[in-house]
Amino acid sequence: ACRLVTPPDLSAETILITAGPTREELDPVRYLTNHSSGRMGYELARAARNRGARVVLVSGPTDLPPPAGVSLFRVTTAQQMRDTVLEQVASCSIVIKAAAVADYRPMLRSGEKLKKHEHRLTIELEKNPDILAELGALQNRPFLVGFAAETTDLRTHALAKLQAKNLDMIVANDVSQVGAGFNVATNIVRLIRRDGHEEQLELMSKELLAHIILDRIQESRQRAV
Ligand code: CTP
Ligand code: CA
């Protein structure tokens, strides 16, 4: 399936989208990260822009060309992503958190390249802020959409995240399935809404999925009015 027309149905909205991984540095030459490519977030940004939205894209490190006409903020670490998101959120009616934020960062970042010494090395990590949970706790929160990347018990884990982070919708992503998740152009997801509505989607391009996510956001916001 594809879309031949994209109506400007989001022209009244400012949508903040986060995309890509974060990168947590250990020393000047090494870092911790994950397999996120940023594709899902960039497709969402492109689709939202095509539908008339003002788009604020907060992106971790990726090789993707940013869509024209979006306000791009490049960040590296989870803490930088948090600061940028919290600065930008006040002007946004919708936030979609497609980024794969590193849950931990090294306790100490060495200014010099670490040298090898012993047979074993232990690296202590500390927890990063949960950006989405902070947004969920805001007084005047925007419509909030999270992603859940899982390899087991997809529905249970996704529902728990929806509730714990006070979201309006979660896009549950089984990253162990072929054709889903990291670094591919397609995805297989289940959309779960705060009102209990659930929808299992077939394997599809991230481009089409981006449009369906935006359709469902608009439908549930219109219902809430
Ligand atoms: N997220 C976030 N800040 C973090 C971690 C996650 O904003 N520090 C967001 C992600 O962008 C995503 C959602 O929370 O939209 C769920 O991320 P996920 O990694 O699936 O869940 P976690 O809550 O981190 O739990 P876990 O990794 O233990 O499954
Ligand atoms: Ca996580």
Side-chain angles (χ1 to χ4, degrees), residues 26-219:
L26 202 55
D27 71 13
V29 298
R30 304 182 177 99
Y31 53 83
L32 297 177
T33 190
N34 58 63
H35 286 301
S36 171
S37 63
R39 284 180 189 229
M40 191 66 243
Y42 277 58
E43 289 297 349
L44 280 160
R46 184 172 295 111
R49 178 211 61 193
N50 287 346
R51 290 165 69 159
R54 191 172 89 81
V55 176
V56 177
L57 177 61
V58 181
S59 176
T62 78
D63 295 330
L64 300 173
V70 311
S71 303
L72 175 68
F73 293 83
R74 291 184 195 275
V75 298
T76 304
T77 66
Q79 288 175 303
Q80 289 167 357
M81 182 173 282
R82 173 193 174 274
D83 293 346
T84 305
V85 166
L86 289 180
E87 274 164 27
Q88 297 298 319
V89 70
S91 62
C92 299
S93 48
I94 299 166
V95 173
I96 311 175
K97 279 234 65 205
V101 183
D103 291 329
Y104 295 92
R105 64 176 177 271
M107 288 273 284
L108 298 173
R109 182 183 182 281
S110 168
E112 305 298 334
K113 185 186 167 200
L114 296 167
K115 299 306 288 178
K116 61 174 177 255
H117 293 291
E118 310 300 326
H119 192 58
R120 290 184 184 177
L121 170 67
T122 303
I123 297 167
E124 254 194 296
L125 303 178
E126 70 185 315
K127 220 175 187 180
N128 272 327
D130 190 319
I131 305 166
L132 200 45
E134 282 190 51
L135 294 176
L138 288 178
Q139 282 236 316
N140 229 329
R141 70 177 183 62
F143 189 94
L144 272 185
V145 182
F147 275 69
E150 310 293 348
T151 58
T152 60
D153 303 305
L154 180 72
R155 191 172 170 273
T156 312
H157 289 312
L159 271 172
K161 287 173 190 176
L162 177 93
Q163 278 156 12
K165 304 187 194 211
N166 195 25
L167 309 180
D168 295 291
M169 187 186 299
I170 194 153
V171 183
N173 216 337
D174 184 341
V175 293
S176 65
Q177 277 181 285
V178 176
F182 295 127
N183 238 318
V184 290
T186 56
N187 213 345
I188 309 168
V189 307
R190 188 174 184 90
L191 297 182
I192 307 177
R193 294 206 306 233
R194 189 189 187 82
D195 64 9
H197 184 270
E198 296 190 27
E199 181 179 12
Q200 179 63 48
L201 298 176
E202 303 294 307
L203 175 95
M204 63 178 71
S205 69
K206 287 182 175 172
E207 181 185 7
L208 178 60
L209 176 59
H211 278 289
I212 292 179
I213 291 169
L214 294 172
D215 289 346
R216 296 300 177 269
I217 291 172
Q218 282 299 70
E219 286 163 23

